[in-house]
């Protein structure tokens, strides 16, 4: 039954190419598959859920995003294990991506919350959480 589950998320991004590079490898590592592509966007799908990235229009580019403003704070994904979180953390570091809360990693969310937190090219926080 799909009632109540997220159908899709759509994120407008400042640089579609860098966002697709960032999100493509991450989502595919989690099991998402490329779903749709068009001049100003791309999506990945897993099961009945898909995530869409769209190039923001130039006329809206002067309004900067910050996750602490009203709106989206972060996206959190399930990892398969603590080892999965550790493996993805190494890949993030190898790619030179910014890991958040390094002084508390991997327990930045508390002693019972094993996760890695990082940022996408537009500084949207992403979280990968172990079961």
């Amino acid at each position: 039954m799909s009632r109540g589950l997220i159908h899709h998320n759509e994120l407008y991004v400042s640089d579609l190419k860098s966002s697709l590079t960032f999100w493509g490898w991450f989502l595919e590592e989690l099991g998402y598959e490329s779903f749709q592509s068009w001049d100003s966007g791309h999506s990945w799908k897993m099961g009945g859920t898909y995530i869409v990235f769209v190039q923001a229009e130039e006329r809206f580019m002067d309004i900067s995003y910050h996750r602490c403003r009203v709106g989206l704070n972060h996206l959190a994904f399930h990892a398969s294990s603590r080892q999965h979180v550790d493996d993805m953390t190494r890949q993030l570091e190898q790619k030179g991506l910014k890991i958040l809360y390094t002084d508390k990693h991997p327990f930045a969310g508390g002693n019972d919350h094993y996760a890695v937190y990082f940022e996408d090219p537009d500084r949207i926080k992403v979280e990968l959480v172990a079961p």
Side-chain angles (χ1 to χ4, degrees):
M1 176 184 207
S2 59
R3 181 178 175 190
L5 296 177
I6 299 276
H7 186 271
H8 72 276
N9 289 307
E10 185 168 319
L11 302 173
Y12 275 61
V13 298
S14 64
D15 180 350
L16 184 61
K17 184 178 178 182
S18 66
S19 290
L20 297 183
T21 298
F22 173 88
W23 284 100
W25 80 269
F26 177 71
L27 292 172
E28 289 169 11
E29 284 285 330
L30 296 181
Y32 284 78
E33 295 181 358
S34 183
F35 180 48
Q36 298 170 319
S37 190
W38 61 101
D39 288 344
S40 61
H42 193 95
S43 65
W44 281 268
K45 184 174 185 175
M46 181 170 20
T49 301
Y50 63 97
I51 301 175
V52 182
F53 300 90
V54 178
Q55 176 64 54
E57 294 178 32
E58 187 67 36
R59 64 189 171 129
F60 296 115
M61 296 296 279
D62 63 333
I63 304 167
S64 64
Y65 166 83
H66 194 286
R67 67 178 174 266
C68 292
R69 287 181 161 168
V70 172
L72 177 72
N73 177 270
H74 71 280
L75 295 172
F77 296 86
H78 290 280
S80 58
S81 64
R82 286 184 174 199
Q83 184 63 52
H84 187 205
V85 169
D86 295 342
D87 292 344
M88 292 296 283
T89 300
R90 276 191 290 284
Q91 287 188 54
L92 291 162
E93 290 169 340
Q94 289 169 355
K95 292 178 176 292
L97 298 171
K98 182 176 182 176
I99 307 287
L100 302 173
Y101 320 122
T102 55
D103 59 327
K104 298 176 186 173
H105 175 78
F107 294 105
N111 291 337
D112 296 328
H113 192 80
Y114 197 95
V116 61
Y117 299 83
F118 52 102
E119 290 182 330
D120 89 339
D122 285 311
R123 300 198 62 210
I124 293 172
K125 183 168 60 173
V126 184
E127 179 180 358
L128 183 63
V129 186

